[in-house]
Amino acid sequence: MSGKIYPDLIRVFYTNLQFVRNNLVSHVKGVDMEITHEVWTAITGLKYAGLRINKGNIGVVEEFNKI
């Protein structure tokens, strides 16, 4: 990334950041921003797939260290 960085806007973004309906949502200068799974995977280049680990299936995942 290149260009100008605005630390105050970044601070406001993170201050207002909430987790709503499995999405990250923030509000900065009258603009609502929602980071969905699709947006997040496009930005990071990661896949949103696989086995979700929770209390009910920890035994299914071999060698999972819950610490």
Side-chain angles (χ1 to χ4, degrees):
M1 283 176 41
S2 63
K4 295 183 180 180
I5 297 174
Y6 300 95
D8 291 337
L9 290 178
I10 294 169
R11 190 175 299 112
V12 172
F13 174 83
Y14 281 113
T15 300
N16 294 331
L17 191 63
Q18 298 177 350
F19 193 68
V20 179
R21 297 182 314 276
N22 291 326
N23 297 323
L24 295 172
V25 178
S26 189
H27 183 84
V28 179
K29 294 190 77 164
V31 177
D32 290 324
M33 292 171 264
E34 186 169 359
I35 301 175
T36 63
H37 295 294
E38 292 80 15
V39 171
W40 179 250
T41 55
I43 291 170
T44 60
L46 300 172
K47 289 191 271 184
Y48 185 73
L51 178 64
R52 294 189 101 170
I53 298 176
N54 57 40
K55 290 181 183 178
N57 69 357
I58 286 179
V60 175
V61 181
E62 294 180 24
E63 299 180 20
F64 176 73
N65 183 351
K66 62 182 176 181
I67 294 174

